[in-house]
Amino acid sequence: MTRAPARLSPLPSGRIEERFEDKNPRYTEAEAFAEANRCLYCVDAPCIKACPTAIDIPTFIRKIATGQVKGAARTILTANLLGQSCGQACPVEVLCAGDCVYNAWGREPIAIGRLQRYAVEAALAQGPALFRAKPPTGRSAALVGAGPASIAAAGYLALEGHRAVIYERKAIPGGLNTLGIAPYKMKGHEALRELEWVLSLGDIELRTGVSVVEEATAPGEIAARDLLAEHDAVFLGLGLGDDARLGIPGEDGEGVVGATAFIERLKADPRLGLTGVRRAAVVGGGNTALDVAHELALLGIDVAIVYRRSEAEMSGYAHELEGARIAGARLIENRVPVEVVREGGRPVALRVAPADARREAPQGAAQAAEELVPADLIAVAIGQSRATRVALAFEGVALDARGRVVVDPATHRTGNPRVYSGGDCVNGGKEVVNAVAEAKVAARAMHEAMMQRAGGAAPGPAPQGS
């Protein structure tokens, strides 16, 4: 069963993300052909080993070089159904391209991400469908959350002939891909276009504006037990929760925003305006902090990244920090925020103190060492809460000490034999490609379990091309 691509509601025009230019524009046919012919097609292919979804990179690149763009796309998408967004958003510098043999010779590695994007976009624009779903099995699965993990799992399950129903509490689906990826890497409408393609792979239904809860008491809610009663299996692709707070004086009020909430508005809300914002402080040292700093700098805002440790200790990727610096952001190391300074209700500065002095010096000395970082906008990127409430609504599902859903790594099954999970709510917040890799494991295990309960033998791997 293959459907015509679904048409999702478009994002409104006038969004700030529309102002950003594409950091790595899609290759032309000639550019892709030239770059593909640089590849050495290594037998041991370290790039494959560095890819969490194990895409056969030399094979798809060889197919581009020989004019087989649909074959290249099929190779990519068989391993990773979100191959387009991963081609645009993956940190290839520390994954596949980072392990390219050219690096050891001091030469530019193969532009694997750009070749991947080219192949998938070119093939999907050509049609017809690259895959054909197997006959219906009569089994169904619910997928909670419409982010990358759930989208990929739904696609793999649909290709096996199962019905997949995605439940998303927000009006806009796509999770991180639509609402969280830096707009200079991928725009929200591109993520929705990829989602439309996945929805066409088989019997997949998307229900937005639906919250899964322990006890349904209002319209738009469905109880966890009802989900289990209606479906044969459930996949929890919950992502992460709200932005963490600093807990300092002056934090409450306008001008102080959680970084992920701010990026979501920047990508989807045309009402967001940055009039009057000339200076910004971004608190944090992870990739989210670097993304929002880079975005603000590209908009012409003077940006300071405030981090409590040294640059060498930052969890964000070095290439992302370099990109933010090139755009104009600067790093203030070994400083902790102690107060948001306001005038007339609006922030004018972030008061910071040396991290060591705050811990070790007498109070008077610590205050003397404090300094002001001028800022009209303060974005807080120090982590996110865990989506524990939804997970715990399912009997048998447990969380670890860090609030992550506990799963069997071999199957991604939780303590409830009919509930599986993957993505950020399990790994704590990794890349889209990691979410897809975990979704593949879970979808395969769900398929086998549903077929066994149905009394049928589990077929071989997910279908290849049509």
Side-chain angles (χ1 to χ4, degrees):
M1 175 180 179
T2 302
R3 296 178 170 181
R7 300 302 301 172
L8 300 174
S9 298
L11 293 171
S13 59
R15 310 179 323 275
I16 289 179
E17 85 156 356
E18 294 174 316
R19 305 180 194 174
F20 291 87
E21 296 182 359
D22 199 334
K23 176 184 175 183
N24 292 308
R26 176 180 152 183
Y27 275 146
T28 64
E29 182 179 5
E31 289 170 334
F33 181 79
E35 183 64 15
N37 275 286
R38 288 183 59 230
C39 182
L40 302 176
Y41 315 117
C42 307
V43 175
D44 56 352
C47 53
I48 298 178
K49 299 172 186 176
C51 175
T53 54
I55 294 173
D56 188 344
I57 294 167
T59 294
F60 95 69
I61 293 179
R62 183 180 291 274
K63 288 180 178 179
I64 292 174
T66 55
Q68 303 175 66
V69 68
K70 289 187 68 174
R74 188 175 290 116
T75 298
I76 295 163
L77 296 169
T78 298
N80 182 343
L81 281 179
L82 302 188
Q84 175 185 323
S85 55
C86 287
Q88 293 177 248
C90 257
V92 294
E93 295 87 348
V94 297
L95 293 174
C96 53
D99 270 14
C100 178
V101 296
Y102 275 130
N103 289 295
W105 303 335
R107 297 175 61 185
E108 189 72 19
I110 301 298
I112 298 171
R114 297 186 71 179
L115 287 172
Q116 181 169 311
R117 176 186 181 182
Y118 165 79
V120 176
E121 287 192 4
L124 295 185
Q126 289 180 14
L130 293 170
F131 301 100
R132 182 180 296 121
K134 293 179 180 177
T137 63
R139 316 304 281 182
S140 72
L143 302 103
V144 183
S150 288
I151 294 169
Y156 286 116
L157 290 167
L159 287 173
E160 292 288 5
H162 305 300
R163 173 171 167 73
V165 183
I166 305 173
Y167 297 83
E168 169 56 49
R169 64 182 177 86
K170 294 181 179 180
I172 300 175
L176 173 69
N177 274 13
T178 307
L179 302 172
I181 292 177
Y184 52 84
K185 297 177 184 176
M186 185 170 74
K187 306 290 193 297
H189 70 269
E190 295 173 317
L192 291 180
R193 185 175 61 213
E194 181 180 52
L195 173 54
E196 288 175 346
W197 175 75
V198 174
L199 294 175
S200 76
L201 293 176
D203 190 0
I204 305 176
E205 180 183 355
L206 172 63
R207 300 180 186 177
T208 56
V210 180
S211 297
V212 178
V213 295
E214 186 172 1
E215 295 289 341
T217 59
E221 294 181 345
I222 184 170
R225 61 173 175 272
D226 293 335
L227 215 58
L228 283 167
E230 184 177 340
H231 300 278
D232 299 287
V234 173
F235 177 84
L236 303 178
L238 306 173
L240 296 175
D242 296 332
D243 292 294
R245 292 169 54 83
L246 292 169
I248 60 175
E251 181 176 15
D252 295 328
E254 65 174 307
V256 180
V257 297
T260 62
F262 176 77
I263 294 171
E264 180 173 327
R265 290 198 64 197
L266 183 145
K267 290 180 67 68
D269 187 355
R271 297 170 298 177
L272 175 65
L274 296 176
T275 304
V277 177
R278 296 179 296 109
R279 301 165 300 187
V282 178
V283 182
N287 287 313
T288 300
L290 299 180
D291 274 348
V292 74
H294 193 162
E295 291 158 16
L296 290 169
L298 288 173
L299 291 171
I301 295 170
D302 179 55
V303 181
I305 305 167
V306 178
Y307 181 52
R308 62 194 175 100
R309 295 196 178 108
S310 68
E311 178 178 337
E313 296 171 284
M314 294 179 76
S315 61
Y317 297 132
H319 69 272
E320 297 288 9
L321 175 59
E322 181 62 18
R325 278 175 162 156
I326 291 172
R330 67 187 187 280
L331 175 64
I332 300 176
E333 305 173 76
N334 300 305
R335 295 293 187 276
V336 292
V338 295
E339 181 189 5
V340 175
V341 181
R342 294 180 177 271
E343 292 181 1
R346 292 191 56 83
V348 294
L350 180 67
R351 189 184 304 277
V352 300
D356 292 339
R358 193 72 182 173
R359 289 194 300 266
E360 301 169 3
Q363 183 176 1
Q367 291 176 343
E370 292 174 355
E371 58 189 289
L372 294 178
V373 178
D376 310 300
L377 175 71
I378 297 165
V380 181
I382 58 172
Q384 294 171 255
S385 64
R386 303 294 187 252
T388 56
R389 184 174 300 178
V390 175
L392 294 178
F394 293 87
E395 184 179 359
V397 176
L399 307 174
D400 67 12
R402 297 173 62 186
R404 299 172 299 187
V405 178
V406 176
V407 298
D408 173 0
T411 62
H412 271 255
R413 191 178 73 180
T414 69
N416 186 317
R418 291 173 55 204
V419 179
Y420 299 73
S421 188
D424 285 351
C425 65
V426 170
N427 62 44
K430 292 188 177 180
E431 308 295 342
V432 174
V433 69
N434 299 98
V436 176
E438 294 176 9
K440 284 173 63 178
V441 173
R444 179 62 187 174
M446 293 167 73
H447 164 63
E448 291 175 349
M450 287 192 289
M451 295 304 292
Q452 288 169 3
R453 282 196 292 270
Q464 304 298 305
S466 57

